Amino acid sequence: MSLARVHNFSISLDGYGTGEGLSREAPFGHAGERLHQWMFATRWWHELTGGSGGQGGLDDTFARRFAPGIGAEIMGAGKFGYPGWHDDPEWKGWWGPNPPFHTPAFVLTRHPRPSLAMEGGTTFHFLDASPAEALERAREAAGGQDVRIGGGPTVVRDFLAARLIDHLHVVVVPLLLGRGVRLWDGLEGVEEDYTIESVSSPSGVTHLTFTRAGVAP
Amino acid sequence: MSLARVHNFSISLDGYGTGEGLSREAPFGHAGERLHQWMFATRWWHELTGGSGGQGGLDDTFARRFAPGIGAEIMGAGKFGYPGWHDDPEWKGWWGPNPPFHTPAFVLTRHPRPSLAMEGGTTFHFLDASPAEALERAREAAGGQDVRIGGGPTVVRDFLAARLIDHLHVVVVPLLLGRGVRLWDGLEGVEEDYTIESVSSPSGVTHLTFTRAGVAP
């Protein structure tokens, strides 16, 4: 069974998955890098970005679940590029020549363009599709493996609302952003489909996992 | 030093401190009692309500901080009564003849009425006042002890926004209520004044504490 999984999705205490004022210079707007400091501190991140160092422990253990068993990713337009990237034919994503996905990556956008093969196995495909349609396409590309729903908050929320997520890992960072894009809006009762666990880390963040009944990711 | 403290303030994962549709029959609206099940299960609650039984452990340990050192409470109109209680001269609060406060309790309302002495040491006073004014009045009544800011969410938020809270204990319950009154709205950056700790409980809730720098409640 090919699951739909979310990993390392960071939100503020007040529920924002990104800030306000997103731009080419500020991918997370006024949130800056504050939602992801816990992740940048892990050994996993250091390895992923070609360095050494970083910390082991609980945060690292969760972070490492990002890649194993994943055969494709689905992301929103904002995770691929700045507002307006679709008018820039040279834009190849935030992620550099060798993006960290290393699988097919489906970008949900109302402005599809030809697929873009990058180094390291990532190929970006551009889809104007519903969550269910996109998941079907990604599953075909994943060759029997799981599909990661990569965010941002609107995309994760839409997939939760469509009851398509099997496993959700959210990291709550003790910040009050006050404005931006909220993850949880309009999801009343969605938790009833899941077993939920919470564990707080010495770093100050709290890891939440939602696992659909009968599923063992 | 007399501190302003919040204890046992429960919110849903999506940040709601109460639901929608509050009425005499439904004090928390569609949230029902789901935000407070963790508290009802504690030994502290059983003792407070005159029974025996209940569970010890982390939730109980936090819950018990409710009373010690507190000399007065401030609450919103909705914690005293249903929408429209001010038109009902017989209404004496949600809390029965012997309310669990056992101190002066200041009710913030635009419809003040004469003070109301109950059994067990609780006297309700009715104030049309700003957070700072109410805190000054409550401090006078507290005789050098701390003041508990008792909620609901609008009151806690207003006191946080006015930078009047010294210690905040919030309990995050793994529920998505979807609608109601949010605690965190409009509090961007307020966390910078505090040391924040998070600890998850085997019951599934997460206890968050905000403690103002230099304060040891």
Side-chain angles (χ1 to χ4, degrees):
Chain A
M1 184 183 174
S2 164
L3 304 179
R5 296 160 37 191
V6 177
H7 289 284
N8 301 342
F9 192 78
S10 297
I11 61 174
S12 62
L13 260 187
D14 46 356
Y16 294 99
T18 189
E20 201 175 69
L22 309 189
S23 70
R24 190 162 180 163
E25 293 70 40
F28 289 90
H30 83 293
E33 299 192 332
R34 292 179 289 165
L35 289 173
H36 304 96
Q37 295 294 2
W38 71 271
M39 192 171 73
F40 300 149
T42 62
R43 189 171 302 155
W44 171 76
W45 183 263
H46 283 70
E47 292 169 3
L48 193 72
T49 52
S52 60
Q55 299 192 314
L58 186 68
D59 294 344
D60 185 68
T61 299
F62 272 104
R64 280 177 193 279
R65 301 200 55 208
F66 178 81
I70 294 289
E73 159 141 341
I74 296 171
M75 67 177 71
K79 184 167 173 179
F80 181 73
Y82 63 95
W85 63 263
H86 50 80
D87 291 329
D88 177 356
E90 299 304 312
W91 182 258
K92 295 185 175 177
W94 295 114
W95 305 95
N98 184 356
F101 309 109
H102 309 300
T103 66
F106 294 85
V107 179
L108 297 174
T109 171
R110 296 205 177 80
H111 305 273
R113 58 171 64 180
S115 296
L116 188 60
M118 308 293 286
E119 293 170 33
T122 300
T123 300
F124 291 113
H125 302 286
F126 300 85
L127 283 183
D128 185 359
S130 71
E133 291 163 350
L135 185 55
E136 192 178 333
R137 280 288 305 276
R139 280 196 163 126
E140 287 166 13
Q145 295 200 88
D146 294 344
V147 174
R148 187 175 48 242
I149 311 302
T154 307
V155 167
V156 176
R157 190 203 308 135
D158 287 349
F159 276 75
L160 281 168
R163 311 276 167 149
L164 292 172
I165 303 285
D166 298 299
H167 182 77
L168 169 67
H169 169 226
V170 168
V171 184
V172 182
V173 180
L175 272 180
L176 294 168
L177 287 177
R179 53 208 163 97
V181 183
R182 283 204 185 90
L183 173 61
W184 299 123
D185 279 5
L187 297 179
E188 178 180 350
V190 161
E191 82 282 1
E192 293 168 14
D193 294 351
Y194 298 93
T195 299
I196 303 177
E197 292 189 12
S198 299
V199 59
S200 298
S201 162
S203 70
V205 305
T206 297
H207 297 270
L208 279 167
T209 53
F210 286 48
T211 304
R212 187 180 293 284
V215 155
Chain B
M1 184 184 175
S2 164
L3 305 178
R5 296 160 37 191
V6 177
H7 289 285
N8 302 342
F9 193 78
S10 298
I11 61 173
S12 62
L13 260 186
D14 46 356
Y16 294 99
T18 190
E20 202 176 66
L22 276 50
S23 71
R24 191 161 181 164
E25 293 70 40
F28 289 90
H30 84 291
E33 299 191 331
R34 291 179 289 167
L35 288 173
H36 304 95
Q37 294 294 2
W38 72 271
M39 193 172 73
F40 300 148
T42 64
R43 188 172 300 155
W44 172 76
W45 183 262
H46 283 70
E47 292 168 3
L48 192 74
T49 53
S52 59
Q55 298 192 315
L58 186 68
D59 294 344
D60 186 68
T61 299
F62 272 104
R64 281 177 191 279
R65 302 200 55 206
F66 178 81
I70 294 288
E73 159 140 344
I74 296 171
M75 67 178 73
K79 186 169 171 177
F80 181 72
Y82 62 97
W85 63 263
H86 51 80
D87 291 327
D88 176 356
E90 301 303 313
W91 181 258
K92 296 184 175 176
W94 295 114
W95 305 95
N98 185 355
F101 310 109
H102 309 300
T103 66
F106 294 85
V107 179
L108 297 174
T109 170
R110 296 205 177 81
H111 305 274
R113 58 170 64 181
S115 296
L116 187 60
M118 308 294 286
E119 294 171 30
T122 301
T123 300
F124 291 112
H125 302 286
F126 301 85
L127 283 183
D128 185 0
S130 72
E133 291 163 351
L135 185 56
E136 194 178 333
R137 279 288 303 279
R139 280 194 164 127
E140 288 165 12
Q145 296 201 86
D146 294 344
V147 175
R148 188 176 47 242
I149 310 302
T154 307
V155 168
V156 176
R157 190 203 308 137
D158 287 350
F159 277 74
L160 282 167
R163 311 276 167 148
L164 293 171
I165 303 285
D166 298 299
H167 182 77
L168 170 67
H169 168 226
V170 168
V171 184
V172 182
V173 180
L175 271 181
L176 294 167
L177 287 177
R179 52 208 164 98
V181 182
R182 282 204 185 90
L183 173 61
W184 299 123
D185 280 4
L187 297 178
E188 178 180 349
V190 161
E191 82 284 359
E192 291 168 15
D193 292 352
Y194 298 94
T195 299
I196 303 177
E197 292 190 11
S198 300
V199 59
S200 298
S201 162
S203 70
V205 305
T206 296
H207 297 271
L208 279 167
T209 55
F210 285 49
T211 304
R212 187 181 293 286
V215 156

